[in-house]
């Protein structure tokens, strides 16, 4: 079964594997998420009110600051894996978020408000954005898990996350609040951020814990925000669900989410929202690689759905050893397209 899964996923994912530099040479400032230098770099750079550090999770710059704080606090544990914290496996999270911001996926897709638009409130993240809501569980929840795990040491203040203007019950806003509502999810992120784990880890083990928490976040958030897909075009909604499905396959390989590898991988993601009339293949203003990725993710999702999730289970079994995971990563990274 493991060999069969490898063959099926190889056929589907092979277009993913061409190196991104061939299409999009990523250098210098382009390595980092938009506005990275302007985001708060330390928890004490956020406003303090009533003895609480106040974070506006629906502001792109603040959410970016949460990521920046996580990367800064964990930097010493990843020194051996690349200069200037480039080997930190947490880079995948802010880079994905930066791609969402750059491509307009965090703006209000209903068009009712100017939230997230250049001619309105550019840094606003809409609670009607499926991508923004999904990302809450890959930014604020990991962050609060890290606070609880002691990554930031003994903080002088409590943390308060400001709620959105609507759908307030879909989120939690403090360590205590989140523990009571989603203990399993918080525990998965806390397990990754435990300082004693980070102090003496094998990279493969750290990636395993990080991806376990990452996929838990998506699995928890997917049904919660299914109704938000209605604001998106059918092609964009399909792509969102295809993306969420693909993460499970990528996670099983313990794919490295360091700065350079994530940038390589993201060059193949669509650089704008999909709209009605975008029919695969090809979409004329997307690169050959981006078209191939969209086709591949669609096919992977369809096959997994038709098999009732069996393809993923077989794939995960094939990825249950370090040797298997290495082959899986090679499929994603370096097979010719």
């Amino acid at each position: 079964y493991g060999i069969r899964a490898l063959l099926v996923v190889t056929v589907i994912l092979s277009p993913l594997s061409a190196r991104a530099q061939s299409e999009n040479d990523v250098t210098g400032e382009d390595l980092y998420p938009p506005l990275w230098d302007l985001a708060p770099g330390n928890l004490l750079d956020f406003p303090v009110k009533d003895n609480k550090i106040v974070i506006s999770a629906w502001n792109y710059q603040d959410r970016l600051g949460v990521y920046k704080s996580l990367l800064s606090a964990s930097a010493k544990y990843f020194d051996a894996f690349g200069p200037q914290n480039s080997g930190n496996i947490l880079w995948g999270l802010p880079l994905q978020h930066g791609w969402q911001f750059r491509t307009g996926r965090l703006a209000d897709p209903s068009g009712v408000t100017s939230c997230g638009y250049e001619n309105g409130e550019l840094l606003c993240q809409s609670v009607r954005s499926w991508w923004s809501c999904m990302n809450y569980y890959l930014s604020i929840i990991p962050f609060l898990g890290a606070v609880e795990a002691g990554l930031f040491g003994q903080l002088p203040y409590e943390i308060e996350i400001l709620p959105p203007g609507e759908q307030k019950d879909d989120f939690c806003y403090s360590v205590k609040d989140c523990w009571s509502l989603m203990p399993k999810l918080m525990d998965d992120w806390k397990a990754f951020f435990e300082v004693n784990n980070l102090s003496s880890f094998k990279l493969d083990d750290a990636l395993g814990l990080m991806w376990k928490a990452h996929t838990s976040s998506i699995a928890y958030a997917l049904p919660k925000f299914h109704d938000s897909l209605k604001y998106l075009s059918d092609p964009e909604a399909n792509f969102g669900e295809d993306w969420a499905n693909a993460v499970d396959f990528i996670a099983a390989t313990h794919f490295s989410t360091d700065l350079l590898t994530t940038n390589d991988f993201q060059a193949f993601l669509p650089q704008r929202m999909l709209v009605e009339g975008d029919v695969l293949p090809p979409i004329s203003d997307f690169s050959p690689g981006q078209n191939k990725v969209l086709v591949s993710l669609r096919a992977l999702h369809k096959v997994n759905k038709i098999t009732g999730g069996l393809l993923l289970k077989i794939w995960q079994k094939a990825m249950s050893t370090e040797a298997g995971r290495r082959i899986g990563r090679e499929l994603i990274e370096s097979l010719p397209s």
Side-chain angles (χ1 to χ4, degrees), residues 2-142:
I3 296 299
R4 189 182 304 169
L6 282 171
L7 288 172
V8 172
V9 178
T10 298
V11 169
I12 295 171
L13 287 185
S14 57
L16 281 172
S17 54
R19 297 296 282 178
Q21 272 93 342
S22 63
E23 295 189 11
N24 181 21
D25 189 20
V26 185
T27 55
E29 290 182 6
D30 290 342
L31 281 173
Y32 300 97
L35 308 180
W36 184 250
D37 287 344
L38 300 178
N42 185 293
L43 287 186
L44 297 180
D45 291 337
F46 286 96
V48 175
K49 186 178 180 184
D50 298 330
N51 277 329
K52 291 180 180 178
I53 295 169
V54 180
I55 298 172
S56 175
W58 301 96
N59 174 282
Y60 169 73
Q61 212 159 301
D62 269 26
R63 211 181 280 196
L64 209 57
V66 163
Y67 285 131
K68 206 169 181 180
S69 300
L70 284 172
L71 276 155
S72 178
S74 60
K76 60 187 176 186
Y77 304 114
F78 293 93
D79 277 346
F81 302 106
Q84 297 179 303
N85 206 20
S86 62
N88 195 321
I89 62 175
L90 288 171
W91 273 114
L93 296 172
L95 285 169
Q96 269 281 285
H97 197 48
W99 163 76
Q100 292 162 359
F101 175 77
R102 191 172 60 248
T103 58
R105 287 179 163 85
L106 304 178
D108 182 355
S110 71
V112 171
T113 71
S114 64
C115 179
Y117 292 97
E118 282 190 37
N119 59 352
E121 304 164 84
L122 179 61
L123 298 181
C124 172
Q125 291 195 201
S126 175
V127 74
R128 295 188 178 198
S129 159
W130 180 83
W131 292 97
S132 185
C133 291
M134 292 293 292
N135 178 265
Y136 192 95
Y137 284 82
L138 289 167
S139 55
I140 301 304
I141 306 304

Side-chain angles (χ1 to χ4, degrees), residues 39-294:
N42 185 293
L43 287 186
L44 297 180
D45 291 337
F46 286 96
V48 175
K49 186 178 180 184
D50 298 330
N51 277 329
K52 291 180 180 178
I53 295 169
V54 180
I55 298 172
S56 175
W58 301 96
N59 174 282
Y60 169 73
Q61 212 159 301
D62 269 26
R63 211 181 280 196
L64 209 57
V66 163
Y67 285 131
K68 206 169 181 180
S69 300
L70 284 172
L71 276 155
S72 178
S74 60
K76 60 187 176 186
Y77 304 114
F78 293 93
D79 277 346
F81 302 106
Q84 297 179 303
N85 206 20
S86 62
N88 195 321
I89 62 175
L90 288 171
W91 273 114
L93 296 172
L95 285 169
Q96 269 281 285
H97 197 48
W99 163 76
Q100 292 162 359
F101 175 77
R102 191 172 60 248
T103 58
R105 287 179 163 85
L106 304 178
D108 182 355
S110 71
V112 171
T113 71
S114 64
C115 179
Y117 292 97
E118 282 190 37
N119 59 352
E121 304 164 84
L122 179 61
L123 298 181
C124 172
Q125 291 195 201
S126 175
V127 74
R128 295 188 178 198
S129 159
W130 180 83
W131 292 97
S132 185
C133 291
M134 292 293 292
N135 178 265
Y136 192 95
Y137 284 82
L138 289 167
S139 55
I140 301 304
I141 306 304
F143 167 67
L144 293 175
V147 171
E148 181 70 2
L151 183 69
F152 300 101
Q154 193 66 37
L155 289 170
Y157 309 106
E158 287 181 44
I159 303 286
E160 181 183 7
I161 310 295
L162 296 181
E166 52 187 303
Q167 295 177 226
K168 293 180 183 179
D169 292 344
D170 287 334
F171 308 96
C172 60
Y173 307 104
S174 67
V175 170
K176 184 179 177 182
D177 184 24
C178 295
W179 267 109
S180 65
L181 289 172
M182 50 196 82
K184 166 75 169 62
L185 184 51
M186 285 288 286
D187 199 49
D188 282 348
W189 280 109
K190 181 173 180 275
F192 169 69
F193 284 112
E194 292 283 7
V195 173
N196 57 329
N197 287 344
L198 286 171
S199 297
S200 58
F201 65 82
K202 277 176 59 182
L203 187 58
D204 186 67
D205 293 339
L207 283 161
L209 286 170
M210 189 274 293
W211 277 116
K212 181 186 178 190
H214 190 122
T215 53
S216 292
S217 277
I218 290 177
Y220 186 93
L222 260 181
K224 189 178 280 287
F225 300 113
H226 185 266
D227 287 351
S228 298
L229 292 168
K230 70 186 176 190
Y231 295 118
L232 302 176
S233 69
D234 286 345
E236 179 70 16
N238 287 335
F239 167 61
E241 293 187 300
D242 295 345
W243 164 86
N245 172 76
V247 170
D248 283 325
F249 286 87
I250 295 166
T253 73
H254 293 186
F255 188 82
S256 183
T257 44
D258 59 74
L259 182 67
L260 297 179
T261 306
T262 304
N263 269 300
D264 279 0
F265 188 74
Q266 285 199 162
F268 283 129
L269 295 178
Q271 299 305 304
R272 63 163 173 80
M273 297 270 281
L274 277 69
V275 296
E276 301 298 350
D278 281 335
V279 180
L280 291 167
I283 297 173
S284 60
D285 62 331
F286 286 0
S287 70
Q290 287 163 353
N291 273 294
K292 287 174 182 175
V293 165
L294 288 174

